[in-house]
Amino acid sequence: VVGIVQSVARPAPYLIYGPPGTGKTVTLAESILQTMFAAGSDKNTKILICAPSNTATDVVVERLAPFVTPREMLRLVAFSRDRSSVPDHIIQYTSFDELENCFITPNPKIIKTYKIVAVTITYGGKLFNQGILDHFTHVFVDEAGHSVESEAIGCLLSATKQSSRTPPVIVLAGDPKQLGPIIRSGISKKFGLEKSLLERLSQMAPYARSKEKDVHGNHYDKRMISKLIHNYRSHPTILDIPNRAFYDGDLIAEADITISHRFVDWEHLPKRGFPIIFHGVEGEDMREANSPSWFNPDEAQLVKMYVDLLIRDTRSNRCKPEDIGIITPYHRQVQKIRILLGAHGYSECKVGSVDEFQGSERPVIIISTVRSTVDYISFDQKHKLGFLANEKRFNVAITRAQALLIMIGNPFTLENDPHWKAMIEHTIDGGGYTGADYTKKEQR
C-alpha cells in the first residue's frame, strides 16, 4: 500500500500479486482509500477502477462503500444491465433512472466531478467515446490476470492524464498463476492474447523473483511489485502442493482455525487430522454423439455419496448444501451431477466448471476429474479440456477449499500429470487415499 501511495513504480505499472485467499481485493481497496484520504494526498486525484466483470467491479465498490459517499464515487453501469442484478446497496452509487427504468450515462462534466469512477474493463475502454479524455490520475485494475490484454490497455490510454512529468499511476492486482482470459479465437491465441497484461509484465525482469532476499527479507523489488503471502482461506495441508508448485513455497497458512480446521475430526476421513481425501475409481468416461464433453457416471455417484455423508450421515458438525462446491472440468458432467443432486434435494450445492469457481471459496470442495482413459488425454490437450491440459485449472480447483478437499478420479490416468501425481502422493503420505488399489508409480 505504501509503494502504491508513494507512486514509486511509475511510469511502470505497480503489481499486487495476490495468490488464492491472500486478500488481494481488500489490499486493492485499502490502496484506493489511502490514495484518496491519506495525509498529504493530492486533492486533484481522480481514480478509475476497472475489473473484467460486473460482479468483480461490484465487489470493489462494496469494499469502498462504507468509507466513500455517493457524491465521491460513481459506478457506471451499461444501459443493457438488468436492475435486479445490481446489489441494492450499490444502486445509490449508480446513475439509475427510475422513470426510464434503466441505467444512463451522465454528462461527461458530471462524471469528471467524482473522485472515483468504477467500470468494467470493456466500459472503461469506451470512456473516450463519452468525452472522458486526459482525466484520471490513477487506474486500479482488479482481477487483472483474468482480463484480455488489449482491453486492459484500453482503460489505461486516452482516459488517463497524459503528462510525461507526472504520468498516471497504474496498479494491476491479480494472480498470473490462476485462470487467464477466456479466448476462443485460434488467431487471437496464436498472437498471444491468452496471456494477460499482468502475466506478461510478471515475466519481465523488473517484476521477477530474486533467489536472494534483500535486506528486508523480500524476494521481489517492493518498488514494483508486492506479493501477498498470508493465506486466510485454507487448511495448511490443502495449501501445501499449490504453494510449492506455483508460489515458490512463499505462502503462509493463516486462516481462522474455526473455519479451516472444521473437518479435521470428521468421522468419514480415512485419517483423522488430514482433511484431504483422494478416492481412486477406475470408472468409465463416456461421450454423447460427437460432443468433446465427457461424463463419468461412477464418479457422479461417488459425488452424491460424499454429499450424503456430509449433510445427512455426520453425527456432529453437519454441512449445509451451500457449504459444498463441486468442481468438474466438463460441461456434460456438470449437468449429470446437477440432475442427480437435484433429484435428492441437494440443488443448493453449487456445481460448476473451474471458471465458475474462480474468485470464490467453499468450506468443502469435491472435485470430479472424469477422465479415466489414458488414450484420450491427447484429445483433451488438443481441445484444451480438463485439468490435464492446463495447470492453472488444477491450481484454481484445489485452492477453492477452506476446510475439506475431496478428489475423485482415476489415479492411473492422473499420475501422468506432474501436479496431480504430487497431489495423489501427498494424499497417500497423509493417509487420505481410499478406493481403487494404487501404489506410487516408482514403487510398482
Side-chain angles (χ1 to χ4, degrees):
V1 173
V2 173
I4 293 167
V5 174
Q6 292 177 346
S7 312
V8 288
R10 68 179 179 184
Y14 190 95
L15 304 191
I16 299 175
Y17 181 179
T22 53
K24 166 179 53 65
T25 304
V26 173
T27 305
L28 187 79
E30 181 62 26
S31 302
I32 293 166
L33 292 171
Q34 293 284 355
T35 299
M36 267 190 70
F37 300 121
S41 60
D42 189 343
K43 296 294 180 282
N44 296 317
T45 294
K46 299 290 184 181
I47 297 171
L48 178 66
I49 299 168
C50 304
S53 65
N54 274 314
T55 305
T57 310
D58 290 343
V59 167
V60 181
V61 172
E62 284 177 329
R63 296 280 185 191
L64 298 174
F67 310 99
V68 183
T69 68
R71 292 180 63 183
E72 294 172 315
M73 178 166 65
L74 172 66
R75 167 72 171 99
L76 280 175
V77 181
F79 169 82
S80 57
R81 190 176 181 190
D82 193 285
R83 161 73 174 78
S84 62
S85 70
V86 181
D88 289 337
H89 49 286
I90 287 179
I91 283 292
Q92 61 180 325
Y93 293 95
T94 68
S95 52
F96 185 73
D97 189 314
E98 296 288 352
L99 288 174
E100 297 289 336
N101 195 32
C102 67
F103 294 98
I104 59 168
T105 302
N107 184 289
K109 289 180 180 178
I110 295 173
I111 295 175
K112 288 181 178 182
T113 62
Y114 290 91
K115 288 186 174 182
I116 300 175
V117 176
V119 293
T120 60
I121 280 178
T122 308
Y123 200 130
K126 300 172 186 170
L127 285 173
F128 65 92
N129 290 341
Q130 321 282 1
I132 310 295
L133 293 158
D134 192 27
H135 177 64
F136 294 104
T137 58
H138 294 67
V139 182
F140 291 84
V141 184
D142 197 15
E143 298 291 354
H146 207 44
S147 56
V148 181
E149 182 174 17
S150 50
E151 288 186 342
I153 290 172
C155 295
L156 313 179
L157 293 178
S158 41
T160 55
K161 277 281 184 190
Q162 305 297 309
S163 166
S164 55
R165 192 170 59 84
T166 54
V169 176
I170 310 295
V171 180
L172 307 179
D175 182 1
K177 300 294 185 182
Q178 293 189 59
L179 295 181
I182 298 169
I183 302 290
R184 308 205 187 280
S185 161
I187 294 172
S188 298
K189 290 176 184 177
K190 180 182 173 183
F191 286 100
L193 285 177
E194 272 188 307
K195 187 178 284 189
S196 66
L197 176 62
L198 177 82
E199 186 175 357
R200 196 179 302 283
L201 287 172
S202 70
Q203 293 168 350
M204 293 181 171
Y207 302 98
R209 185 181 195 273
S210 168
K211 289 181 181 178
E212 305 298 325
K213 292 182 179 180
D214 64 16
V215 291
H216 302 293
N218 298 312
H219 286 285
Y220 293 88
D221 185 344
K222 297 288 277 189
R223 297 170 302 173
M224 306 296 292
I225 179 172
S226 286
K227 182 180 185 179
L228 309 178
I229 60 171
H230 297 281
N231 176 282
Y232 302 105
R233 175 181 294 161
S234 302
H235 189 279
T237 55
I238 295 171
L239 196 61
D240 187 58
I241 293 295
N243 187 16
R244 285 188 276 146
F246 303 106
Y247 302 109
D248 302 295
D250 290 340
L251 301 188
I252 301 164
E254 291 195 3
D256 180 346
I257 61 168
T258 59
I259 297 169
S260 65
H261 288 57
R262 179 177 163 187
F263 292 101
V264 290
D265 289 320
W266 187 47
E267 65 250 45
H268 300 292
L269 285 176
K271 185 179 178 184
R272 298 276 181 104
F274 188 79
I276 301 177
I277 299 172
F278 188 99
H279 194 121
V281 54
E282 294 183 70
E284 185 180 358
D285 43 13
M286 303 176 180
R287 273 190 298 168
E288 291 171 348
N290 295 321
S291 167
S293 192
W294 297 83
F295 65 96
N296 187 319
D298 297 334
E299 290 190 15
Q301 287 297 333
L302 280 171
V303 168
K304 190 249 174 192
M305 180 195 84
Y306 278 110
V307 172
D308 271 336
L309 291 175
L310 285 158
I311 295 174
R312 291 181 179 164
D313 297 333
T314 298
R315 283 192 296 274
S316 62
N317 199 6
R318 286 188 180 178
C319 253
K320 296 175 183 174
E322 55 267 29
D323 289 341
I324 302 171
I326 296 143
I327 302 176
T328 184
Y330 299 98
H331 182 61
R332 188 68 70 218
Q333 184 79 343
V334 170
Q335 290 178 322
K336 300 285 183 188
I337 293 173
R338 277 182 186 159
I339 292 167
L340 179 62
L341 294 183
H344 291 84
Y346 300 138
S347 55
E348 291 296 307
C349 295
K350 181 175 178 178
V351 186
S353 66
V354 185
D355 305 69
E356 292 174 64
F357 276 89
Q358 168 119 342
S360 66
E361 59 192 22
R362 291 286 188 284
V364 181
I365 289 290
I366 303 173
I367 300 173
S368 168
T369 58
V370 179
R371 300 318 311 277
S372 204
T373 313
V374 178
D375 299 351
Y376 288 119
I377 296 301
S378 59
F379 175 92
D380 273 12
Q381 288 167 341
K382 179 182 174 185
H383 287 271
K384 289 287 184 285
L385 296 170
F387 298 114
L388 296 183
N390 189 335
E391 63 179 21
K392 292 179 178 180
R393 291 183 180 279
F394 168 85
N395 183 28
V396 172
I398 299 296
T399 54
R400 300 308 94 194
Q402 293 174 293
L404 177 62
L405 174 65
I406 301 170
M407 298 163 286
I408 301 168
N410 185 332
F412 298 101
T413 303
L414 295 171
E415 70 181 7
N416 293 293
D417 176 85
H419 299 305
W420 275 106
K421 181 172 180 284
M423 196 73 207
I424 294 167
E425 291 178 357
H426 173 56
T427 310
I428 291 170
D429 293 341
Y433 185 87
T434 187
D437 286 339
Y438 176 80
T439 51
K440 294 181 183 178
K441 203 171 186 179
E442 291 77 12
Q443 296 171 0
R444 273 180 245 150

